[in-house]
Amino acid sequence: MKPAICVFCGSRPGKEPRYLQAAVFLGHLMATEGVGLVYGGATSGLMGAVADAVLEKGGTVIGVLPEFLSSKEIAHKEITELILVPTMHERKLLMYEKSIAFIALPGGIGTLEELVEVTSWNQLGVLSKPIGILNVNGFFDPLLQQLDHMVEEGFLDSQTREWIEVSADPEELFEKIIKRSRI
């Protein structure tokens, strides 16, 4: 099986066209570099855009979708493999297991929750995989400020904060993540 990066992102496209452009660029880059995509399995929003971009360049896409969301998020039928699972917990665990690293693009509360969970799991030693944030148009600036504030106030160790690679440039972030994953 090819190495794969799990991408967390919105099931909506967002208001800023740069979000969609970044998702497509990242998907093309992953496929061109021979890295597969693991994601939430939907056709909509940035999720669908990144999956379509990987497929467009001949890449491998694994989608993991809870059965109850298959009608809301509209399961992507064109991907390499669609895995339906009973719960959100099983979705996330399977996505984490099938990935060598994680990249977050802009998204909503689900994206934030997934990003925070993998960071927490790395901190606890449950995982040891690179985490990246594609900070398109400064989308994640408030979150990054909050993480830095947590470090300053003694609630988060600086090592955990340093695990999170951040860039507004998809190529730069991809290179950092691949370097850290040692593939």
Side-chain angles (χ1 to χ4, degrees), residues 85-96:
V85 294
T87 68
M88 289 294 285
H89 293 294
E90 290 172 88
R91 174 195 217 181
K92 292 186 297 181
L93 183 60
L94 195 55
M95 288 168 62
Y96 302 169

Side-chain angles (χ1 to χ4, degrees), residues 12-153:
R12 298 176 183 179
K15 292 181 178 180
E16 173 59 52
R18 286 182 270 188
Y19 302 148
L20 190 60
Q21 292 165 356
V24 170
F25 189 92
L26 180 64
H28 285 165
L29 179 63
M30 289 172 64
T32 301
E33 294 295 326
V35 175
L37 168 68
V38 175
Y39 84 118
T43 59
S44 58
L46 299 186
M47 289 173 65
V50 72
D52 288 343
V54 171
L55 293 170
E56 187 177 287
K57 295 291 184 182
T60 302
V61 178
I62 298 171
V64 184
L65 188 65
E67 293 162 350
F68 76 93
L69 281 181
S70 63
S71 62
K72 282 184 183 180
E73 290 189 352
I74 309 172
H76 201 309
K77 305 292 189 209
E78 307 296 318
I79 59 178
T80 311
E81 182 179 6
L82 176 65
I83 303 169
L84 294 176
V85 294
T87 68
M88 289 294 285
H89 293 294
E90 290 172 88
R91 174 195 217 181
K92 292 186 297 181
L93 183 60
L94 195 55
M95 288 168 62
Y96 302 169
E97 289 173 352
K98 291 188 171 290
S99 304
I100 61 163
F102 308 95
I103 294 178
L105 275 71
I109 199 74
T111 302
L112 179 61
E113 186 260 343
E114 291 164 333
L115 175 60
V116 169
E117 183 169 84
V118 295
T119 303
S120 175
W121 285 22
N122 264 359
Q123 181 181 11
L124 296 171
V126 175
L127 291 175
S128 181
K129 298 180 181 183
I131 300 168
I133 292 178
L134 189 54
N135 195 20
V136 181
N137 200 37
F139 180 83
F140 286 102
D141 286 352
L143 174 63
L144 297 169
Q145 290 168 357
Q146 180 61 42
L147 292 173
D148 291 340
H149 182 65
M150 290 171 162
V151 171
E152 290 168 11
E153 293 298 320

